Amino acid sequence: MTPRPSLGLRARLLFAFTLVCVVTTAAVAGGIYVQARNDILQRTQDATVETVRSRLNDVFPLRSATPGQEELGDIAAAVPDRNTVEFAVAIYGETHSPIAPPGGWRPGGRVLALDLGGIPPQLRRKVAGGEIAWQRVVWDDTPWLIIGTPLLIDEGDRPARVSGIEVYAARSLIAEQRSIDDLAARAWAIGGVALAFAVGLALLATRGVLRPVRELGRAARLLGEGELRTRIEVSGSDELADVARTFNNTAAELERHVKQLREMEADARRFVADVSHELRTPLAALTAVADVLDEEAADLPEPAGRAARLVSQETLNLTGLVNDLIEISRFDSGVAALALNEVDVAELVGATLRTRGWSEQVQTELPPAVTARLDPRRVDVILANLVGNALRHGEPPVSVRLTADPHRIALEVRDHGPGLDEAVLPHVFDRFYKASAARARSEGSGLGLAIARENARLHQGDLTVTNAPDGGAVFTLSLPRRTHDQDGGAE
């Protein structure tokens, strides 16, 4: 499953800084806005209530406990001061004072009649119960503060009682609304400046954090690519500097260990190559002697003849091992080279089988006229090893099948034996991995398949193995039809 793309560290840090700034700015600005709004409205409300109370003190004593419209008009006219209270209405039962000024009051160009129908019912219930109450309303998109108070009748030594007269005063909050709107605009402006400032700080912070992180990533990539001398410049004494120092120490230690391992590996390869070459001369003499012993073995007494044949066979095995070691040393030292020729692949396979007398034992499926630019000797070595192993360790029928496309060829060698154990498959091409670990019996040094794969890779190809669903091991040699030479050009 393809992993979903994620935001980079820079983007995540910017997002985190911005989010924190937005939340903080919104919380602070919102809190200040709400507090300032409440303070403005509270001061306005307190000032209006105080004005209404002081103005109503001038109407005592009441001329009548059951005033008419004229007296209610006098009470309502005493309340407004045009600075705190815009207009007022006095109500007694179903009677209310006349609307003032004449024709009604016109906030926003609309005639308002503050009568029984224009006062919020919940406000009237509180005032009728003897409370001083207030409520903010909106008329014609204009905010207003309505304050209602009952008039009390002072009866001397007895507690004051409610007269039944209700006075409602109205004050426009348009000035306060403008102040609140200006406050909100300033809060948004300050929030925007704070956001821009936070983004700038985030960019500086991410730049300071990500520069060493990017440098560490670059150094890690170079170290992974084999540049063991890679180091990071350490500056400062913070956590990132500690990480850089730890990386440098790790890289230095790794370089030291790798250098030791390479020296040991080079010594081992030189030792193998030197021993192999030194053994060739005595082995040549032993081979000549073994050939003579092998010819005379039939005429020797049985114990001596058996010993002669054994010496001859082991001499041949030792010669093959030395030759394989010399070939492996060439691959390890990088001196193995290709001698490329344009060859007919079907003819090359047929020649390999005929030379070793396997033509009657191996089934072939070889389309004609399939050509490729290959090293015939090395491909012959690969095929001889694969077919030989199939004949020795597998079960018939053994088959060789050739397939090709415009760019590659594939040679498939298959037997119909029990196949390879799943635990063995990953190690088949390991050096000195004996076939007896996977098959019933074993011969050879365990270098044949390793050399075969090295030859395939020298052609820029590969050699793989798997088990067929119906039984048997399947080795597949895949090679390009136009192998590139060691200088990178096409042959």
Side-chain angles (χ1 to χ4, degrees), residues 246-304:
T246 301
F247 177 88
N248 289 341
N249 294 335
T250 303
E253 191 67 15
L254 179 62
E255 182 182 11
R256 186 177 67 83
H257 283 294
V258 170
K259 183 179 179 181
Q260 291 178 349
L261 291 174
R262 285 175 176 172
E263 290 174 353
M264 293 170 60
E265 183 182 11
D267 291 341
R269 287 176 177 174
R270 279 195 301 270
F271 176 77
V272 171
D274 292 344
V275 169
S276 300
H277 282 87
E278 290 297 325
L279 286 175
R280 296 188 75 175
T281 300
L283 274 176
L286 286 175
T287 301
V289 173
D291 290 341
V292 173
L293 289 175
D294 197 39
E295 292 175 359
E296 299 295 333
D299 299 330
L300 294 174
E302 183 52 32

Side-chain angles (χ1 to χ4, degrees), residues 135-158:
Q135 184 172 340
R136 289 188 289 272
V137 298
V138 177
W139 290 340
D140 196 22
D141 298 328
T142 303
W144 291 84
L145 175 66
I146 306 297
I147 297 177
T149 180
L151 286 184
L152 303 179
I153 296 179
D154 188 2
E155 296 185 341
D157 56 349
R158 288 190 297 177

Side-chain angles (χ1 to χ4, degrees), residues 159-348:
R161 64 182 179 85
V162 178
S163 66
I165 302 173
E166 302 169 11
V167 178
Y168 296 92
R171 175 176 179 171
S172 172
L173 297 178
I174 188 68
E176 287 76 11
Q177 184 64 48
R178 289 186 183 130
S179 298
I180 292 172
D181 291 342
D182 290 342
L183 182 64
R186 292 192 191 99
W188 280 110
I190 293 172
V193 172
L195 179 59
F197 183 68
V199 171
L201 286 179
L203 288 172
L204 291 176
T206 54
R207 184 178 180 182
V209 171
L210 292 180
R211 185 189 299 111
V213 171
R214 284 195 294 266
E215 180 66 19
L216 181 62
R218 182 193 66 82
R221 283 192 298 271
L222 291 175
L223 193 65
E225 294 169 359
E227 297 291 337
L228 300 181
R229 296 183 179 274
T230 301
R231 300 293 185 271
I232 300 175
E233 182 180 354
V234 179
S235 60
S237 59
D238 55 7
E239 291 81 359
L240 290 173
D242 290 339
V243 171
R245 278 188 288 269
T246 301
F247 177 88
N248 289 341
N249 294 335
T250 303
E253 191 67 15
L254 179 62
E255 182 182 11
R256 186 177 67 83
H257 283 294
V258 170
K259 183 179 179 181
Q260 291 178 349
L261 291 174
R262 285 175 176 172
E263 290 174 353
M264 293 170 60
E265 183 182 11
D267 291 341
R269 287 176 177 174
R270 279 195 301 270
F271 176 77
V272 171
D274 292 344
V275 169
S276 300
H277 282 87
E278 290 297 325
L279 286 175
R280 296 188 75 175
T281 300
L283 274 176
L286 286 175
T287 301
V289 173
D291 290 341
V292 173
L293 289 175
D294 197 39
E295 292 175 359
E296 299 295 333
D299 299 330
L300 294 174
E302 183 52 32
R306 187 165 55 250
R309 285 190 293 271
L310 179 60
V311 169
S312 176
Q313 181 60 46
E314 291 304 321
T315 301
L316 291 175
N317 291 341
L318 182 57
T319 302
L321 173 60
V322 170
N323 290 332
D324 287 345
L325 288 173
I326 292 174
E327 186 71 7
I328 282 289
S329 69
R330 290 195 184 103
F331 287 118
D332 291 340
S333 60
V335 299
L338 296 174
L340 299 174
N341 287 296
E342 190 77 21
V343 298
D344 186 298
V345 181
E347 291 182 1
L348 175 61

